[in-house]
Amino acid sequence: MASILRQIVAGPRQKHPEAGLDLCYVTDNIIATSGPSSTFPQRAYRNPTDALVKFLDYKHDTNWAIWEFRAEGTGYPDSEVYGRIRHYPWPDHHPPPFALVPNIMASMREWLKGQDTNPGRVVVVHCKAGKGRSGTAACSYLISEEGWTVEDALFRFTTRRMRSGFGAGVSIPSQLRWIRYVDRWTKHQKIYFERQIEVAEVHVWGLRDGVKVAVEGYIDEGRTIKSFHIFNRYERVIVDGKGETPTSLTSPTISASSPSLPITDSTVPAVSQRSASGSLEAGGNAVIFRPAQPIILPTNDISIDLERRNKATYGWTMVTSAAHVWFNAFFEGHGPENHGVAATDGVFEIDWDAMDGIKGSARKGTRALDRLAVVWRTADRPRDGKPELPQIITEPKEGEPVPQTKAADWKSAQHSNLTAMGQDLGLRTASPVSANVSKASSLRSSGSSPQHGGEDHLVGVKTRGPSGEDYVSHEGHGEGRPTVTISEPDLGMPKLKSPEPMAQAEGSTKITDVGLGNVASVVGEMQKSPTEEAGHGKLGQDKGTSRAHVPGRILKKDER
């Protein structure tokens, strides 16, 4: 039974011919594997920890050590791998806090190349599926310590980890951005300055109805993602003008002497008039979000999280799109190229199609916007009233001790799937504070920790040996596998009731997932409803209409 379950979870991945485990040799001394588990039911469908240890002992004796990156917990105690493990956890489907990268690279280097080391040592990297986070670390090591190019490192990881035609090994855009950051860091003396960053404005082109815009960042040494601010309707300025559809909006630049950030003459491409599916859709609004209070993040790592909701009925809302993007202000400010002296302000721009999708996939749902630009600058005032200077972070030299970060509770991996609730599309209960949140209900509280659970994209993962040999399974592999049918709850309208009021902490949000199996009746009621939730209509206009804006128009003082 356990073998059948592992086949179902692994999908088209092939087992290692000797051990029957999901692992591959990226190089002779780097092994990538999915996260093992020592507890039921996980060990019934994942790599059993004892089986992995037995294989490593047999192949490499004592010359192996594990590097784990699971903020959701490893799923096994350190003692089961002889304590031969290094902890650098961060959340699933996200890039690492860049401050972790120098220590991860140095610790791997010391194990493989340090003084009095055996030439046969191997590094075993794992996250949950052994793909996104593991691939980011493995490729970063090849680039920073072995001199590989970005293209060669990514190609090697893909060819060793994935079957042909099943996509890239590292596929999440923000993780790919981080690997290119590592390349720039490596080429410029491996100097990194950690700074506090203020998000001054967020400019959005083609903003659709019901979109929540939140600013997030890392805390707890990168183990937790915190939502620092969710924009509300009182913090937005609609840039409008004459015409039927928006055509272009100027790109923002920073004026250090002005509290309001002006619009300059440089333009960006025209706003798309089609949704992700290709169907015609209103182009939306051009909007500038200006926070009422300064948004100050403790590190250079910044995330913009988006979620689009449509109001249903009986206290429910439908999440129709979700996306996010990470960037690092030190690298966007060209710090490596200027001997560590990064710009004190800048603008990061990205299109909707280039943003990260749901749970590491390219899926984002319906289009929420066309383009956004984040205007950032170094914080003028310290957080919590405490002055803090930029922190110089360098890679530890050979022979120097390399610090680790605190490991997550290994038992929490048993419940990691619970954290995935609310991170997908579907029905949710309406938040009591939804009227003020940029025409959308808030999914996470301002102090919540959005640990993005769920699986990495596992399809197409395979195994290869130390020399790169491809293990091909028997003909017809995967055919006739048992299918798993998950019954959806009955959501007939007579059974739907408004959620009972509950006493909650201030700023908290109750989340209820009911799936998408039987929502036709709910959608019908959505279309019949003549009213909209307060603050959930078009930005400054009637439902179903579209307003254009003048390209290059500078906002007047009374409009800000």
Side-chain angles (χ1 to χ4, degrees), residues 162-198:
M162 306 296 294
R163 291 186 180 184
S164 178
F166 282 91
V170 182
S171 57
I172 298 176
S174 290
Q175 291 179 344
L176 292 170
R177 185 176 300 110
W178 249 245
I179 291 175
R180 294 185 177 90
Y181 286 163
V182 170
D183 182 55
R184 293 169 56 192
W185 172 73
T186 302
K187 291 177 178 177
H188 297 89
Q189 303 177 345
K190 297 183 178 179
I191 298 176
Y192 178 69
F193 283 78
E194 192 71 279
R195 307 174 299 174
Q196 292 182 345
I197 300 297
E198 178 183 353

Side-chain angles (χ1 to χ4, degrees), residues 265-283:
D265 294 333
S266 60
T267 59
V268 296
V271 183
S272 171
Q273 297 299 309
R274 291 186 176 270
S275 67
S277 62
S279 61
L280 289 173
E281 183 180 17

